[in-house]
Amino acid sequence: MADEKKLSFEQAMDQLETIVEKLEEGDVPLEEAISFYKEGMELSKLCHDKLKNVEDQLAQIITEDGRTEGFSINEEE
């Protein structure tokens, strides 16, 4: 798990796609499938956390005087 924290978003997505492909083949033994599923869920969480972190960073803008302010987009349109 500690190694997964060092993965980039792209590396984690590549590994996740590989796991999905293996599981979709359907010929993976049950115990191995459960292990793949668990690893996939951890990778999914890692990707989600990285995206959330970026989203939080993008939700703030820096004003002309250097202050940080919150930023949101209205999705009403």
Side-chain angles (χ1 to χ4, degrees):
M1 185 66 154
D3 291 338
E4 290 181 0
K5 294 290 183 191
K6 297 176 186 174
L7 292 175
S8 69
F9 177 81
E10 291 78 11
Q11 291 170 324
M13 283 298 296
D14 286 345
Q15 288 186 14
L16 189 55
E17 288 175 3
T18 301
I19 288 171
V20 169
E21 288 172 6
K22 288 179 182 176
L23 291 174
E24 286 181 343
E25 290 174 0
D27 58 351
V28 179
L30 180 61
E31 291 177 0
E32 194 174 346
I34 292 170
S35 178
F36 281 145
Y37 180 80
K38 181 181 174 187
E39 184 180 353
M41 292 303 291
E42 290 171 353
L43 288 167
S44 175
K45 182 179 180 326
L46 177 71
C47 289
H48 177 269
D49 291 347
K50 287 184 179 284
L51 286 174
K52 180 69 178 152
N53 185 29
V54 169
E55 182 181 308
D56 290 345
Q57 290 176 21
L58 293 176
Q60 295 186 355
I61 58 173
I62 298 175
T63 62
E64 290 179 8
D65 60 356
R67 291 180 297 119
T68 304
E69 291 184 359
F71 176 77
S72 65
I73 299 173
N74 288 333
E75 297 181 10
E76 295 178 4
E77 295 183 15

Coordinates of all heavy atoms in Angstrom, one line a residue:
M1 N 0.8 -1.2 0.0 CA 0.0 0.0 0.0 C 0.9 1.3 0.0 O 0.5 2.2 -0.6 CB -0.9 0.0 1.2 CG -1.9 1.1 1.3 SD -3.0 1.0 -0.1 CE -4.4 1.8 0.5
A2 N 2.0 1.2 0.7 CA 2.9 2.4 0.8 C 3.4 2.7 -0.6 O 3.5 3.9 -1.0 CB 4.0 2.2 1.7
D3 N 3.6 1.7 -1.5 CA 4.1 1.9 -2.8 C 3.1 2.6 -3.7 O 3.4 3.4 -4.5 CB 4.5 0.6 -3.5 CG 5.7 -0.1 -2.8 OD1 6.5 0.7 -2.2 OD2 5.9 -1.3 -3.0
E4 N 1.8 2.3 -3.4 CA 0.7 2.9 -4.2 C 0.6 4.4 -3.9 O 0.2 5.1 -4.8 CB -0.6 2.2 -3.9 CG -0.7 0.8 -4.4 CD -2.0 0.2 -4.1 OE1 -2.9 0.8 -3.5 OE2 -2.2 -1.0 -4.5
K5 N 1.0 4.9 -2.7 CA 1.0 6.3 -2.5 C 2.0 7.0 -3.3 O 1.8 8.2 -3.6 CB 1.3 6.5 -1.0 CG 0.3 6.0 0.0 CD -1.0 6.8 -0.1 CE -2.0 6.3 0.9 NZ -3.3 6.9 0.7
K6 N 3.0 6.3 -3.8 CA 4.0 7.0 -4.6 C 3.6 7.0 -6.1 O 4.3 7.6 -6.9 CB 5.4 6.3 -4.4 CG 5.9 6.4 -3.0 CD 7.2 5.6 -2.9 CE 7.6 5.6 -1.4 NZ 8.8 4.7 -1.2
L7 N 2.6 6.3 -6.4 CA 2.2 6.2 -7.8 C 1.6 7.5 -8.3 O 0.9 8.2 -7.5 CB 1.1 5.1 -8.0 CG 1.4 3.7 -7.8 CD1 0.2 2.8 -7.9 CD2 2.5 3.2 -8.9
S8 N 1.8 7.8 -9.6 CA 1.2 9.0 -10.1 C -0.3 8.6 -10.5 O -0.6 7.4 -10.5 CB 1.9 9.4 -11.4 OG 1.7 8.5 -12.4
F9 N -1.1 9.6 -10.8 CA -2.5 9.3 -11.1 C -2.5 8.4 -12.4 O -3.2 7.4 -12.4 CB -3.2 10.6 -11.4 CG -4.6 10.4 -11.9 CD1 -5.6 10.1 -11.0 CD2 -4.9 10.5 -13.3 CE1 -6.9 9.9 -11.5 CE2 -6.2 10.3 -13.7 CZ -7.2 10.0 -12.8
E10 N -1.6 8.7 -13.4 CA -1.6 7.9 -14.6 C -1.1 6.5 -14.4 O -1.7 5.5 -14.9 CB -0.7 8.6 -15.6 CG -1.2 9.9 -16.2 CD -1.0 11.1 -15.2 OE1 -0.3 10.9 -14.2 OE2 -1.6 12.1 -15.4
Q11 N -0.1 6.3 -13.5 CA 0.3 4.9 -13.2 C -0.8 4.1 -12.5 O -1.0 3.0 -12.8 CB 1.6 5.0 -12.3 CG 2.8 5.5 -13.0 CD 3.9 5.8 -12.0 OE1 3.7 6.2 -10.9 NE2 5.1 5.5 -12.5
A12 N -1.5 4.8 -11.6 CA -2.6 4.1 -10.9 C -3.7 3.7 -11.8 O -4.2 2.6 -11.8 CB -3.1 5.0 -9.7
M13 N -4.0 4.6 -12.8 CA -5.1 4.3 -13.7 C -4.6 3.2 -14.6 O -5.5 2.3 -15.0 CB -5.4 5.6 -14.6 CG -6.2 6.6 -13.9 SD -7.9 5.9 -13.4 CE -8.6 5.6 -15.0
D14 N -3.4 3.2 -15.1 CA -2.9 2.1 -15.9 C -3.0 0.7 -15.2 O -3.5 -0.3 -15.8 CB -1.4 2.3 -16.3 CG -1.3 3.4 -17.4 OD1 -2.3 3.7 -18.0 OD2 -0.1 3.8 -17.5
Q15 N -2.6 0.7 -13.9 CA -2.7 -0.5 -13.1 C -4.2 -0.9 -12.9 O -4.5 -2.1 -13.0 CB -2.0 -0.4 -11.8 CG -0.5 -0.4 -11.9 CD 0.1 -0.4 -10.5 OE1 -0.5 -0.6 -9.5 NE2 1.4 0.0 -10.5
L16 N -5.0 0.0 -12.7 CA -6.4 -0.2 -12.5 C -7.1 -0.8 -13.8 O -7.8 -1.8 -13.8 CB -7.2 1.1 -12.1 CG -8.6 0.9 -11.7 CD1 -8.8 -0.1 -10.6 CD2 -9.1 2.3 -11.3
E17 N -6.7 -0.3 -15.0 CA -7.2 -0.8 -16.2 C -6.7 -2.2 -16.5 O -7.5 -3.0 -17.0 CB -6.7 0.1 -17.4 CG -7.4 1.5 -17.4 CD -6.9 2.4 -18.5 OE1 -6.0 2.1 -19.2 OE2 -7.4 3.6 -18.5
T18 N -5.5 -2.5 -16.1 CA -5.0 -3.9 -16.2 C -5.8 -4.8 -15.4 O -6.1 -5.9 -15.8 CB -3.5 -3.9 -15.8 OG1 -2.7 -3.0 -16.7 CG2 -2.9 -5.3 -16.0
I19 N -6.1 -4.4 -14.2 CA -6.9 -5.3 -13.3 C -8.3 -5.5 -13.8 O -8.8 -6.6 -13.8 CB -6.9 -4.6 -11.9 CG1 -5.6 -4.8 -11.2 CG2 -8.0 -5.3 -11.0 CD1 -5.4 -4.0 -9.9
V20 N -8.9 -4.4 -14.4 CA -10.2 -4.6 -14.9 C -10.2 -5.6 -16.1 O -11.1 -6.4 -16.2 CB -10.8 -3.2 -15.3 CG1 -12.0 -3.3 -16.2 CG2 -11.0 -2.3 -14.1
E21 N -9.2 -5.4 -17.0 CA -9.1 -6.3 -18.1 C -8.9 -7.8 -17.6 O -9.6 -8.7 -18.2 CB -7.8 -6.0 -19.0 CG -8.0 -4.7 -19.7 CD -6.8 -4.2 -20.4 OE1 -5.7 -4.9 -20.4 OE2 -6.8 -3.1 -21.0
K22 N -8.1 -8.0 -16.6 CA -8.0 -9.4 -16.1 C -9.3 -9.9 -15.6 O -9.6 -11.1 -15.8 CB -6.9 -9.4 -15.0 CG -5.5 -9.2 -15.5 CD -4.5 -9.3 -14.3 CE -3.1 -9.1 -14.8 NZ -2.1 -9.0 -13.7
L23 N -10.0 -9.1 -14.8 CA -11.3 -9.5 -14.2 C -12.3 -9.7 -15.3 O -13.2 -10.6 -15.2 CB -11.8 -8.5 -13.2 CG -10.9 -8.5 -11.9 CD1 -11.4 -7.3 -11.0 CD2 -10.9 -9.8 -11.2
E24 N -12.3 -8.9 -16.4 CA -13.2 -9.1 -17.5 C -13.0 -10.3 -18.3 O -13.9 -10.8 -18.9 CB -13.2 -7.9 -18.4 CG -13.9 -6.7 -17.7 CD -13.9 -5.4 -18.7 OE1 -13.1 -5.4 -19.6 OE2 -14.6 -4.5 -18.4
E25 N -11.8 -10.9 -18.3 CA -11.5 -12.1 -19.0 C -12.3 -13.3 -18.4 O -12.7 -14.2 -19.2 CB -10.0 -12.4 -19.0 CG -9.2 -11.5 -19.8 CD -7.7 -11.7 -19.6 OE1 -7.3 -12.6 -18.9 OE2 -6.9 -11.0 -20.3
G26 N -12.6 -13.2 -17.1 CA -13.5 -14.2 -16.5 C -12.8 -15.5 -16.1 O -13.5 -16.3 -15.6
D27 N -11.6 -15.7 -16.5 CA -11.0 -17.0 -16.1 C -10.0 -16.9 -15.0 O -9.1 -17.8 -14.8 CB -10.3 -17.6 -17.4 CG -9.2 -16.7 -17.9 OD1 -9.1 -15.5 -17.5 OD2 -8.5 -17.1 -18.8
V28 N -10.2 -15.9 -14.1 CA -9.3 -15.7 -13.0 C -9.9 -16.5 -11.8 O -11.1 -16.4 -11.5 CB -9.2 -14.2 -12.6 CG1 -8.4 -14.0 -11.4 CG2 -8.7 -13.4 -13.8
P29 N -9.1 -17.3 -11.1 CA -9.6 -18.1 -10.0 C -10.2 -17.1 -8.9 O -9.7 -16.0 -8.8 CB -8.4 -18.8 -9.4 CG -7.4 -18.8 -10.5 CD -7.7 -17.6 -11.4
L30 N -11.2 -17.6 -8.2 CA -11.9 -16.7 -7.2 C -11.0 -16.0 -6.3 O -11.1 -14.8 -6.1 CB -12.9 -17.5 -6.5 CG -13.8 -16.8 -5.5 CD1 -14.6 -15.7 -6.1 CD2 -14.7 -17.7 -4.7
E31 N -10.1 -16.7 -5.6 CA -9.2 -16.0 -4.6 C -8.4 -15.0 -5.3 O -8.1 -13.9 -4.7 CB -8.4 -17.1 -3.9 CG -9.2 -18.0 -3.0 CD -8.4 -19.1 -2.4 OE1 -7.2 -19.1 -2.6 OE2 -9.0 -19.9 -1.6
E32 N -7.9 -15.2 -6.5 CA -7.1 -14.3 -7.2 C -7.9 -13.1 -7.6 O -7.5 -11.9 -7.5 CB -6.4 -14.9 -8.4 CG -5.3 -14.1 -9.0 CD -4.6 -14.8 -10.1 OE1 -4.7 -16.0 -10.2 OE2 -3.9 -14.1 -10.9
A33 N -9.2 -13.4 -8.0 CA -10.1 -12.3 -8.4 C -10.4 -11.4 -7.2 O -10.5 -10.2 -7.4 CB -11.4 -12.9 -8.9
I34 N -10.6 -12.0 -6.0 CA -10.8 -11.2 -4.8 C -9.6 -10.3 -4.5 O -9.8 -9.1 -4.2 CB -11.1 -12.1 -3.6 CG1 -12.5 -12.7 -3.9 CG2 -11.1 -11.3 -2.3 CD1 -12.9 -13.8 -2.9
S35 N -8.4 -10.8 -4.7 CA -7.2 -10.0 -4.5 C -7.1 -8.9 -5.5 O -6.8 -7.8 -5.1 CB -6.0 -11.0 -4.6 OG -4.8 -10.2 -4.4
F36 N -7.4 -9.2 -6.8 CA -7.4 -8.1 -7.8 C -8.4 -7.1 -7.5 O -8.2 -5.9 -7.6 CB -7.7 -8.7 -9.2 CG -6.5 -9.4 -9.8 CD1 -6.7 -10.5 -10.6 CD2 -5.3 -8.9 -9.7 CE1 -5.7 -11.2 -11.2 CE2 -4.2 -9.5 -10.3 CZ -4.4 -10.7 -11.1
Y37 N -9.6 -7.5 -7.0 CA -10.7 -6.6 -6.7 C -10.3 -5.7 -5.6 O -10.4 -4.4 -5.7 CB -12.0 -7.4 -6.3 CG -13.1 -6.5 -5.9 CD1 -13.9 -5.9 -6.9 CD2 -13.4 -6.2 -4.6 CE1 -14.9 -5.0 -6.6 CE2 -14.4 -5.3 -4.2 CZ -15.2 -4.8 -5.2 OH -16.2 -3.9 -4.9
K38 N -9.7 -6.2 -4.5 CA -9.2 -5.4 -3.4 C -8.1 -4.4 -3.9 O -8.2 -3.2 -3.5 CB -8.6 -6.3 -2.3 CG -8.1 -5.6 -1.1 CD -7.6 -6.5 -0.1 CE -7.0 -5.7 1.1 NZ -6.3 -6.6 2.0
E39 N -7.2 -4.9 -4.7 CA -6.2 -4.0 -5.2 C -6.8 -2.9 -6.0 O -6.4 -1.7 -6.0 CB -5.1 -4.8 -6.0 CG -4.0 -3.9 -6.5 CD -2.9 -4.7 -7.3 OE1 -3.1 -6.0 -7.3 OE2 -2.0 -4.1 -7.8
G40 N -7.8 -3.3 -6.9 CA -8.4 -2.3 -7.7 C -9.2 -1.2 -6.9 O -9.2 -0.1 -7.2
M41 N -9.8 -1.7 -5.8 CA -10.5 -0.7 -5.0 C -9.5 0.3 -4.3 O -9.8 1.5 -4.2 CB -11.3 -1.4 -3.9 CG -12.5 -2.2 -4.4 SD -13.6 -1.2 -5.4 CE -14.3 -0.2 -4.1
E42 N -8.4 -0.2 -3.9 CA -7.3 0.7 -3.3 C -6.8 1.7 -4.4 O -6.6 2.8 -4.1 CB -6.2 -0.2 -2.8 CG -6.6 -1.0 -1.5 CD -5.5 -2.0 -1.1 OE1 -4.5 -2.2 -1.8 OE2 -5.7 -2.6 0.0
L43 N -6.6 1.2 -5.6 CA -6.1 2.1 -6.7 C -7.2 3.1 -7.0 O -6.9 4.2 -7.3 CB -5.8 1.2 -7.9 CG -4.5 0.4 -7.8 CD1 -4.4 -0.6 -8.9 CD2 -3.3 1.3 -7.8
S44 N -8.5 2.6 -7.0 CA -9.6 3.6 -7.3 C -9.6 4.7 -6.2 O -9.8 5.8 -6.6 CB -10.9 2.8 -7.3 OG -12.0 3.6 -7.5
K45 N -9.5 4.3 -5.0 CA -9.5 5.3 -3.9 C -8.3 6.3 -4.1 O -8.4 7.5 -3.9 CB -9.4 4.6 -2.5 CG -9.4 5.6 -1.4 CD -9.4 4.9 0.0 CE -9.4 5.9 1.1 NZ -8.8 7.2 1.0
L46 N -7.1 5.7 -4.4 CA -6.0 6.6 -4.6 C -6.2 7.6 -5.7 O -5.9 8.8 -5.6 CB -4.7 5.7 -5.0 CG -3.5 6.4 -5.3 CD1 -2.9 7.1 -4.1 CD2 -2.5 5.5 -6.0
C47 N -6.8 7.1 -6.9 CA -7.1 8.0 -8.0 C -8.2 9.1 -7.5 O -8.0 10.3 -7.8 CB -7.7 7.3 -9.2 SG -6.4 6.3 -10.0
H48 N -9.2 8.6 -6.8 CA -10.2 9.6 -6.3 C -9.6 10.6 -5.4 O -9.9 11.8 -5.6 CB -11.3 8.8 -5.6 CG -12.3 9.7 -5.0 ND1 -12.2 10.2 -3.7 CD2 -13.5 10.2 -5.5 CE1 -13.3 11.0 -3.5 NE2 -14.0 11.0 -4.5
D49 N -8.7 10.2 -4.5 CA -8.1 11.1 -3.6 C -7.2 12.2 -4.3 O -7.2 13.3 -4.0 CB -7.2 10.4 -2.5 CG -8.1 9.6 -1.6 OD1 -9.3 9.8 -1.5 OD2 -7.5 8.8 -0.8
K50 N -6.5 11.7 -5.3 CA -5.6 12.6 -6.1 C -6.5 13.6 -6.9 O -6.2 14.8 -6.9 CB -4.7 11.8 -7.1 CG -3.6 11.1 -6.4 CD -2.7 10.4 -7.3 CE -1.5 9.7 -6.6 NZ -0.5 10.6 -6.1
L51 N -7.6 13.1 -7.5 CA -8.5 14.0 -8.2 C -9.1 15.0 -7.2 O -9.3 16.2 -7.5 CB -9.6 13.3 -8.9 CG -9.1 12.5 -10.2 CD1 -10.3 11.7 -10.7 CD2 -8.7 13.5 -11.2
K52 N -9.5 14.6 -6.0 CA -10.1 15.5 -5.0 C -9.1 16.5 -4.6 O -9.5 17.7 -4.5 CB -10.6 14.6 -3.8 CG -11.2 15.5 -2.7 CD -12.5 16.0 -3.2 CE -13.2 16.8 -2.0 NZ -14.1 17.8 -2.5
N53 N -7.9 16.1 -4.4 CA -6.8 17.1 -4.1 C -6.7 18.2 -5.1 O -6.6 19.4 -4.8 CB -5.5 16.3 -3.8 CG -4.4 17.2 -3.3 OD1 -4.7 18.2 -2.7 ND2 -3.2 16.9 -3.7
V54 N -6.6 17.8 -6.4 CA -6.5 18.7 -7.5 C -7.8 19.6 -7.5 O -7.7 20.8 -7.7 CB -6.3 18.0 -8.8 CG1 -6.5 18.9 -10.0 CG2 -5.0 17.3 -8.9
E55 N -8.9 19.0 -7.4 CA -10.2 19.8 -7.4 C -10.1 20.9 -6.3 O -10.5 22.0 -6.5 CB -11.3 18.9 -7.2 CG -12.7 19.6 -7.2 CD -13.8 18.6 -6.9 OE1 -13.9 17.6 -7.6 OE2 -14.6 18.9 -6.0
D56 N -9.7 20.5 -5.1 CA -9.6 21.4 -4.0 C -8.6 22.6 -4.3 O -8.9 23.7 -4.0 CB -9.1 20.7 -2.7 CG -10.2 19.8 -2.2 OD1 -11.4 19.9 -2.6 OD2 -9.9 19.0 -1.3
Q57 N -7.5 22.2 -5.0 CA -6.5 23.3 -5.4 C -7.1 24.2 -6.4 O -6.9 25.4 -6.4 CB -5.3 22.6 -5.9 CG -4.4 21.9 -4.9 CD -3.2 21.2 -5.5 OE1 -2.8 21.6 -6.6 NE2 -2.7 20.3 -4.8
L58 N -7.9 23.6 -7.3 CA -8.5 24.5 -8.4 C -9.7 25.3 -7.9 O -10.1 26.2 -8.6 CB -8.9 23.6 -9.6 CG -7.8 22.9 -10.3 CD1 -8.4 22.0 -11.4 CD2 -6.9 23.9 -10.9
A59 N -10.2 24.9 -6.7 CA -11.3 25.7 -6.2 C -10.9 27.0 -5.5 O -11.7 27.7 -5.0 CB -12.1 24.8 -5.2
Q60 N -9.6 27.3 -5.6 CA -9.2 28.5 -5.0 C -8.4 29.3 -6.1 O -7.7 28.7 -7.0 CB -8.2 28.3 -3.9 CG -8.9 27.6 -2.7 CD -7.9 27.5 -1.5 OE1 -6.8 27.8 -1.6 NE2 -8.5 27.0 -0.4
I61 N -8.6 30.6 -6.1 CA -7.9 31.4 -7.0 C -7.1 32.4 -6.2 O -7.3 32.7 -5.1 CB -8.9 32.2 -8.0 CG1 -9.8 33.1 -7.1 CG2 -9.6 31.3 -8.8 CD1 -10.7 34.0 -8.0
I62 N -6.0 32.9 -6.8 CA -5.1 33.9 -6.2 C -5.5 35.2 -6.8 O -5.5 35.4 -8.0 CB -3.7 33.5 -6.4 CG1 -3.4 32.2 -5.8 CG2 -2.8 34.6 -5.8 CD1 -2.0 31.7 -6.0
T63 N -5.8 36.1 -5.9 CA -6.2 37.5 -6.3 C -4.9 38.3 -6.7 O -3.8 37.8 -6.5 CB -6.9 38.2 -5.2 OG1 -6.1 38.4 -4.1 CG2 -8.2 37.5 -4.8
E64 N -5.1 39.5 -7.3 CA -4.0 40.3 -7.7 C -3.1 40.7 -6.6 O -1.9 40.9 -6.8 CB -4.6 41.6 -8.4 CG -5.2 41.3 -9.8 CD -5.8 42.5 -10.4 OE1 -5.5 43.6 -9.9 OE2 -6.4 42.4 -11.4
D65 N -3.7 40.8 -5.4 CA -2.8 41.2 -4.2 C -2.3 39.9 -3.5 O -1.8 40.1 -2.4 CB -3.6 42.1 -3.3 CG -4.9 41.5 -2.7 OD1 -5.2 40.3 -3.1 OD2 -5.5 42.1 -1.9
G66 N -2.4 38.8 -4.1 CA -1.8 37.6 -3.5 C -2.6 36.8 -2.6 O -2.2 35.8 -2.0
R67 N -3.8 37.3 -2.3 CA -4.7 36.5 -1.4 C -5.3 35.3 -2.1 O -5.5 35.4 -3.3 CB -5.8 37.4 -0.8 CG -5.4 38.5 0.1 CD -6.5 39.4 0.6 NE -7.1 40.1 -0.5 CZ -8.4 39.9 -0.9 NH1 -9.2 39.1 -0.2 NH2 -8.9 40.6 -1.9
T68 N -5.7 34.3 -1.3 CA -6.4 33.2 -1.9 C -7.9 33.2 -1.6 O -8.2 33.5 -0.4 CB -5.8 31.9 -1.3 OG1 -4.4 31.9 -1.5 CG2 -6.4 30.6 -1.9
E69 N -8.7 33.1 -2.6 CA -10.1 33.1 -2.4 C -10.7 31.9 -3.0 O -10.2 31.3 -3.9 CB -10.7 34.3 -3.1 CG -10.4 35.6 -2.5 CD -11.1 36.8 -3.2 OE1 -11.8 36.6 -4.2 OE2 -10.9 37.9 -2.7
G70 N -11.9 31.5 -2.4 CA -12.6 30.4 -2.9 C -13.2 30.6 -4.3 O -13.4 31.8 -4.6
F71 N -13.3 29.6 -5.1 CA -13.8 29.8 -6.4 C -14.8 28.6 -6.7 O -14.6 27.5 -6.4 CB -12.7 29.7 -7.4 CG -13.1 29.7 -8.9 CD1 -13.4 30.9 -9.5 CD2 -13.1 28.5 -9.6 CE1 -13.8 30.9 -10.8 CE2 -13.4 28.6 -11.0 CZ -13.8 29.8 -11.5
S72 N -16.0 29.0 -7.3 CA -16.9 27.9 -7.6 C -17.6 28.3 -8.9 O -17.6 29.4 -9.4 CB -18.0 27.8 -6.5 OG -18.7 28.9 -6.5
I73 N -18.0 27.2 -9.6 CA -18.7 27.4 -10.9 C -20.1 27.0 -10.7 O -20.5 26.0 -10.2 CB -18.0 26.5 -11.9 CG1 -16.6 26.8 -12.1 CG2 -18.8 26.5 -13.2 CD1 -15.8 25.9 -13.0
N74 N -21.0 27.9 -11.2 CA -22.4 27.6 -11.1 C -22.8 26.7 -12.3 O -22.5 27.1 -13.4 CB -23.3 28.9 -11.2 CG -23.2 29.7 -9.9 OD1 -23.0 29.1 -8.9 ND2 -23.4 31.0 -10.0
E75 N -23.4 25.6 -12.0 CA -23.7 24.6 -13.1 C -25.2 24.7 -13.5 O -25.7 23.7 -13.9 CB -23.3 23.2 -12.7 CG -21.8 23.1 -12.4 CD -21.4 21.7 -12.0 OE1 -22.2 20.8 -12.1 OE2 -20.3 21.6 -11.6
E76 N -25.8 25.8 -13.3 CA -27.2 26.0 -13.6 C -27.5 26.0 -15.1 O -28.6 25.7 -15.5 CB -27.7 27.2 -12.9 CG -27.7 27.1 -11.4 CD -28.2 28.4 -10.7 OE1 -28.6 29.3 -11.4 OE2 -28.1 28.4 -9.5
E77 N -26.6 26.4 -15.9 CA -26.9 26.5 -17.3 C -26.8 25.2 -18.0 O -26.1 24.3 -17.8 CB -25.9 27.5 -18.0 CG -26.0 28.9 -17.5 CD -25.1 29.9 -18.2 OE1 -24.6 29.5 -19.2 OE2 -25.0 31.0 -17.7

